[in-house]
Short mmCIF file of all heavy atoms in Angstrom, two decimals:
data_model
loop_
_atom_site.label_atom_id
_atom_site.label_comp_id
_atom_site.label_asym_id
_atom_site.label_seq_id
_atom_site.Cartn_x
_atom_site.Cartn_y
_atom_site.Cartn_z
N VAL H 118 -10.24 40.54 -25.57
CA VAL H 118 -9.72 39.46 -24.72
C VAL H 118 -8.98 39.94 -23.48
O VAL H 118 -8.68 39.14 -22.59
CB VAL H 118 -8.76 38.56 -25.53
CG1 VAL H 118 -9.49 37.87 -26.66
CG2 VAL H 118 -7.59 39.36 -26.09
N MET H 119 -8.71 41.24 -23.37
CA MET H 119 -7.80 41.71 -22.33
C MET H 119 -8.30 41.41 -20.92
O MET H 119 -7.60 40.81 -20.10
CB MET H 119 -7.56 43.21 -22.49
CG MET H 119 -6.49 43.76 -21.58
SD MET H 119 -6.23 45.50 -21.90
CE MET H 119 -5.67 45.45 -23.59
N VAL H 120 -9.53 41.85 -20.61
CA VAL H 120 -10.04 41.65 -19.26
C VAL H 120 -10.22 40.17 -18.97
O VAL H 120 -9.89 39.68 -17.88
CB VAL H 120 -11.38 42.40 -19.08
CG1 VAL H 120 -11.99 42.09 -17.73
CG2 VAL H 120 -11.16 43.89 -19.22
N LEU H 121 -10.73 39.43 -19.95
CA LEU H 121 -10.97 37.99 -19.76
C LEU H 121 -9.66 37.27 -19.46
O LEU H 121 -9.59 36.45 -18.54
CB LEU H 121 -11.63 37.40 -21.01
CG LEU H 121 -12.10 35.95 -20.90
CD1 LEU H 121 -13.20 35.85 -19.87
CD2 LEU H 121 -12.58 35.44 -22.25
N VAL H 122 -8.61 37.58 -20.22
CA VAL H 122 -7.33 36.91 -20.02
C VAL H 122 -6.70 37.31 -18.70
O VAL H 122 -6.16 36.48 -17.96
CB VAL H 122 -6.38 37.22 -21.19
CG1 VAL H 122 -4.97 36.74 -20.88
CG2 VAL H 122 -6.87 36.55 -22.46
N SER H 123 -6.79 38.59 -18.33
CA SER H 123 -6.17 39.04 -17.08
C SER H 123 -6.87 38.44 -15.87
O SER H 123 -6.24 38.17 -14.85
CB SER H 123 -6.19 40.57 -16.99
OG SER H 123 -7.52 41.04 -16.90
N TYR H 124 -8.18 38.20 -15.99
CA TYR H 124 -8.92 37.65 -14.85
C TYR H 124 -8.85 36.13 -14.80
O TYR H 124 -8.69 35.54 -13.73
CB TYR H 124 -10.38 38.10 -14.93
CG TYR H 124 -11.20 37.66 -13.74
CD1 TYR H 124 -10.98 38.21 -12.48
CD2 TYR H 124 -12.19 36.70 -13.86
CE1 TYR H 124 -11.72 37.81 -11.38
CE2 TYR H 124 -12.95 36.30 -12.77
CZ TYR H 124 -12.71 36.85 -11.53
OH TYR H 124 -13.44 36.46 -10.45
N LEU H 125 -8.93 35.48 -15.96
CA LEU H 125 -8.94 34.02 -16.00
C LEU H 125 -7.56 33.44 -16.25
O LEU H 125 -7.40 32.22 -16.33
CB LEU H 125 -9.89 33.52 -17.09
CG LEU H 125 -11.36 33.96 -16.97
CD1 LEU H 125 -12.15 33.41 -18.13
CD2 LEU H 125 -11.95 33.49 -15.64
N GLY H 126 -6.54 34.31 -16.38
CA GLY H 126 -5.20 33.84 -16.71
C GLY H 126 -4.69 32.71 -15.85
O GLY H 126 -4.16 31.72 -16.37
N PRO H 127 -4.80 32.78 -14.51
CA PRO H 127 -4.27 31.71 -13.67
C PRO H 127 -4.98 30.38 -13.83
O PRO H 127 -4.53 29.38 -13.30
CB PRO H 127 -4.48 32.26 -12.24
CG PRO H 127 -4.58 33.73 -12.41
CD PRO H 127 -5.25 33.93 -13.72
N ARG H 128 -6.10 30.34 -14.56
CA ARG H 128 -6.90 29.11 -14.64
C ARG H 128 -6.82 28.44 -16.01
O ARG H 128 -7.53 27.47 -16.25
CB ARG H 128 -8.36 29.44 -14.31
CG ARG H 128 -8.55 30.09 -12.94
CD ARG H 128 -9.98 30.62 -12.80
NE ARG H 128 -10.23 31.17 -11.49
CZ ARG H 128 -9.94 32.41 -11.12
NH1 ARG H 128 -9.36 33.23 -11.99
NH2 ARG H 128 -10.21 32.84 -9.91
N VAL H 129 -6.03 29.00 -16.93
CA VAL H 129 -5.95 28.43 -18.27
C VAL H 129 -4.50 28.06 -18.60
O VAL H 129 -3.59 28.38 -17.85
CB VAL H 129 -6.50 29.41 -19.33
CG1 VAL H 129 -7.97 29.67 -19.11
CG2 VAL H 129 -5.71 30.72 -19.30
N ARG H 131 -1.61 28.99 -20.05
CA ARG H 131 -1.09 30.26 -20.52
C ARG H 131 -0.06 30.15 -21.64
O ARG H 131 -0.04 30.98 -22.55
CB ARG H 131 -0.55 31.08 -19.35
CG ARG H 131 -1.66 31.79 -18.61
CD ARG H 131 -1.13 32.84 -17.69
NE ARG H 131 -0.67 32.26 -16.43
CZ ARG H 131 -0.38 32.98 -15.36
NH1 ARG H 131 -0.49 34.29 -15.39
NH2 ARG H 131 0.03 32.40 -14.25
N PHE H 315 -16.33 38.06 -10.27
CA PHE H 315 -15.82 39.15 -11.10
C PHE H 315 -16.34 40.52 -10.64
O PHE H 315 -15.57 41.44 -10.40
CB PHE H 315 -16.20 38.90 -12.56
CG PHE H 315 -15.73 39.97 -13.50
CD1 PHE H 315 -14.43 39.98 -13.97
CD2 PHE H 315 -16.59 40.99 -13.90
CE1 PHE H 315 -13.99 40.98 -14.83
CE2 PHE H 315 -16.16 41.99 -14.77
CZ PHE H 315 -14.86 41.97 -15.23
N LYS H 557 -4.09 42.37 -7.51
CA LYS H 557 -3.05 43.07 -8.26
C LYS H 557 -3.03 42.67 -9.72
O LYS H 557 -2.88 43.52 -10.61
CB LYS H 557 -1.69 42.81 -7.61
CG LYS H 557 -1.54 43.52 -6.28
CD LYS H 557 -0.18 43.34 -5.66
CE LYS H 557 -0.09 44.08 -4.34
NZ LYS H 557 1.21 43.94 -3.69
N SER H 558 -3.18 41.39 -10.01
CA SER H 558 -3.20 40.95 -11.41
C SER H 558 -4.41 41.54 -12.14
O SER H 558 -4.30 42.01 -13.28
CB SER H 558 -3.24 39.42 -11.47
OG SER H 558 -3.35 38.97 -12.80
N PHE H 559 -5.55 41.55 -11.47
CA PHE H 559 -6.77 42.12 -12.06
C PHE H 559 -6.61 43.62 -12.26
O PHE H 559 -7.07 44.18 -13.26
CB PHE H 559 -7.95 41.81 -11.14
CG PHE H 559 -9.30 42.09 -11.75
CD1 PHE H 559 -9.51 41.97 -13.11
CD2 PHE H 559 -10.36 42.48 -10.96
CE1 PHE H 559 -10.74 42.21 -13.68
CE2 PHE H 559 -11.60 42.73 -11.51
CZ PHE H 559 -11.79 42.60 -12.87
N ALA H 560 -5.94 44.29 -11.32
CA ALA H 560 -5.73 45.74 -11.42
C ALA H 560 -4.88 46.09 -12.64
O ALA H 560 -5.13 47.09 -13.31
CB ALA H 560 -5.07 46.26 -10.14
N VAL H 561 -3.88 45.25 -12.92
CA VAL H 561 -3.05 45.48 -14.09
C VAL H 561 -3.89 45.39 -15.36
O VAL H 561 -3.76 46.21 -16.29
CB VAL H 561 -1.89 44.46 -14.15
CG1 VAL H 561 -1.15 44.56 -15.47
CG2 VAL H 561 -0.93 44.69 -12.99
N GLY H 562 -4.78 44.41 -15.42
CA GLY H 562 -5.65 44.26 -16.58
C GLY H 562 -6.58 45.45 -16.76
O GLY H 562 -6.77 45.96 -17.87
N ILE H 563 -7.18 45.92 -15.66
CA ILE H 563 -8.08 47.06 -15.72
C ILE H 563 -7.33 48.32 -16.13
O ILE H 563 -7.80 49.13 -16.95
CB ILE H 563 -8.78 47.27 -14.36
CG1 ILE H 563 -9.69 46.08 -14.04
CG2 ILE H 563 -9.57 48.57 -14.36
CD1 ILE H 563 -10.83 45.91 -15.01
N GLU H 564 -6.13 48.49 -15.58
CA GLU H 564 -5.31 49.67 -15.91
C GLU H 564 -4.95 49.68 -17.40
O GLU H 564 -5.06 50.70 -18.09
CB GLU H 564 -4.04 49.67 -15.05
CG GLU H 564 -3.11 50.83 -15.29
CD GLU H 564 -1.88 50.45 -16.10
OE1 GLU H 564 -1.72 49.25 -16.40
OE2 GLU H 564 -1.10 51.34 -16.43
N THR H 565 -4.54 48.53 -17.92
CA THR H 565 -4.18 48.43 -19.33
C THR H 565 -5.40 48.62 -20.22
O THR H 565 -5.34 49.29 -21.25
CB THR H 565 -3.53 47.06 -19.62
OG1 THR H 565 -2.44 46.86 -18.71
CG2 THR H 565 -3.00 47.01 -21.04
N LEU H 566 -6.52 48.03 -19.81
CA LEU H 566 -7.77 48.16 -20.58
C LEU H 566 -8.21 49.61 -20.65
O LEU H 566 -8.52 50.13 -21.73
CB LEU H 566 -8.86 47.31 -19.93
CG LEU H 566 -10.25 47.43 -20.57
CD1 LEU H 566 -10.25 46.84 -21.96
CD2 LEU H 566 -11.30 46.74 -19.70
#
Side-chain angles (χ1 to χ4, degrees):
V118 296
M119 187 177 298
V120 174
L121 187 65
V122 170
S123 66
Y124 184 69
L125 301 179
R128 303 169 176 85
V129 296
R131 279 194 279 193
F315 180 82
K557 289 183 179 180
S558 176
F559 192 30
V561 172
I563 295 297
E564 180 256 356
T565 307
L566 175 68

